[in-house]
Amino acid sequence: MGSDNVFDAANASRFRKYMEQMKAYYSCLPLEFILDGGDWLNDGDYIVTAMEKLGQVDATYKSVLGENVRRPLVGNHDNNEQGYQDADHTTTGSGLLSNDQLRLAWFSKYPHCYYSFKGMDTAFYCLDSGSDKSSTMTAYRWEQIAWLGEALNSDNSVHKVIAMHIFYNTSIAAAEKTGLATNVLALISAFNAKETVTLNSVTYDFTNATGKVACIISGHTHQDGNVTESGIPVIFTQNAFKQGDVGATFDLCVLDYDAAKLNMVRVGDGSNRSISIVT
């Protein structure tokens, strides 16, 4: 959203135009929500500008598409990790937003920046991968694993989907999983197999759990693609907004459990896809 440290009105206008393009499809099709993969900030914003940009993203969604349409994910740029506190404090990283600041901008109706919601016939679990670009597991990431394990065990939904901005750190070909992704995969693999798994000295017993995780949806790699990790389909999507005024790129997604497929109709740059899922 705009150049570093500046709220760019022309860019904001372009963003609204792209939202209008999405609305043209959303308003005439039986779609339930828009999953927003994050990464709206540039590198190098001041805290006040970062918060303004995040607020503008949310406000534009609500203005164009309605109050309860957007389901956001935290991208590794959205926490302003490479930004600055202000013009007088320009040490890289001094502008890192706290979870409370991110909640204020995007997640005020949830207790955390990770959350779940129910679609028509699917439970979605949205995780905060933040700037998790390595195998490191912080207390906050273990907190999400504990929450996800307990939530999966208590949820009677037959179909479940995990969404997170970062699954692979770099490219799909490199297949370099982050620490959070590695542990999410271990957890849901045990869940789908109805087995027991111990992570961070906590044991999760899924022997009597209901349903299966159909797939993981992620972004970050700036590529379209899909792989299977430990029997779990992982789907990657490319940039939604390209540089320049070329229009929005997004997928119209339909989970077809009878055919065991995720059908993705591409609007913009790219191709349609039909990907096998777990049922």
Side-chain angles (χ1 to χ4, degrees):
M1 291 291 292
S3 56
D4 298 349
N5 300 323
V6 176
F7 187 76
D8 186 333
N11 190 270
S13 175
R14 182 168 66 103
F15 180 73
R16 173 172 285 274
K17 185 179 76 173
Y18 288 178
M19 290 297 100
E20 295 284 358
Q21 291 176 353
M22 294 174 71
K23 182 181 179 181
Y25 289 86
Y26 189 86
S27 60
C28 66
L29 293 170
L31 303 172
E32 295 182 72
F33 61 90
I34 293 174
L35 182 65
D36 178 346
D39 263 5
W40 291 112
L41 296 184
N42 299 309
D43 297 331
D45 281 316
Y46 301 141
I47 287 178
V48 64
T49 312
M51 290 295 291
E52 182 183 25
K53 290 179 180 180
L54 295 178
Q56 184 66 19
V57 169
D58 194 57
T60 305
Y61 262 102
K62 290 176 178 177
S63 172
V64 175
L65 287 151
E67 284 288 326
N68 298 307
V69 171
R70 178 184 182 232
R71 302 290 188 272
L73 299 174
V74 178
N76 55 293
H77 291 278
D78 296 323
N79 61 13
N80 205 37
E81 177 194 23
Q82 298 175 3
Y84 313 113
Q85 181 177 341
D86 52 41
D88 297 321
H89 301 84
T90 54
T91 301
T92 300
S94 63
L96 181 68
L97 301 180
S98 68
N99 286 342
D100 285 342
Q101 287 171 311
L102 282 170
R103 280 193 62 243
L104 179 65
W106 280 0
F107 302 97
S108 58
K109 65 181 180 180
Y110 303 109
H112 307 285
C113 298
Y114 55 91
Y115 61 98
S116 64
F117 66 95
K118 293 287 183 71
M120 186 182 300
D121 55 6
T122 306
F124 292 85
Y125 295 88
C126 298
L127 300 177
D128 176 6
S129 58
S131 52
D132 182 11
K133 302 177 187 176
S134 70
S135 61
T136 303
M137 283 296 287
T138 63
Y140 180 59
R141 291 164 191 157
W142 283 123
E143 176 185 309
Q144 292 183 72
I145 293 295
W147 167 80
L148 181 60
E150 294 170 5
L152 288 173
N153 229 351
S154 61
D155 183 2
N156 291 323
S157 301
V158 174
H159 306 295
K160 302 171 174 69
V161 170
I162 309 295
M164 56 196 301
H165 179 78
I166 308 176
F167 186 86
Y168 284 162
N169 178 31
T170 51
S171 67
I172 297 173
E176 178 191 1
K177 291 190 294 294
T178 65
L180 182 61
T182 297
N183 286 281
V184 166
L185 192 63
L187 191 74
I188 63 177
S189 296
F191 173 80
N192 279 6
K194 301 299 175 276
E195 296 176 346
T196 297
V197 64
T198 299
L199 300 170
N200 195 35
S201 301
V202 178
T203 298
Y204 303 93
D205 184 356
F206 297 123
T207 53
N208 296 312
T210 301
K212 289 186 176 181
V213 173
C215 61
I216 299 172
I217 297 177
S218 70
H220 185 65
T221 61
H222 297 196
Q223 299 169 285
D224 286 331
N226 62 281
V227 300
T228 299
E229 288 266 12
S230 301
I232 310 296
V234 184
I235 295 99
F236 303 87
T237 60
Q238 65 164 304
N239 308 43
F241 293 172
K242 299 288 189 179
Q243 292 296 319
D245 195 7
V246 296
T249 289
F250 54 93
D251 293 298
L252 307 174
C253 299
V254 179
L255 287 158
D256 184 346
Y257 293 113
D258 292 331
K261 294 287 186 180
L262 169 60
N263 296 311
M264 307 176 76
V265 178
R266 174 57 54 87
V267 177
D269 181 42
S271 303
N272 299 341
R273 294 184 281 169
S274 184
I275 300 168
S276 296
I277 58 174
V278 176
T279 59

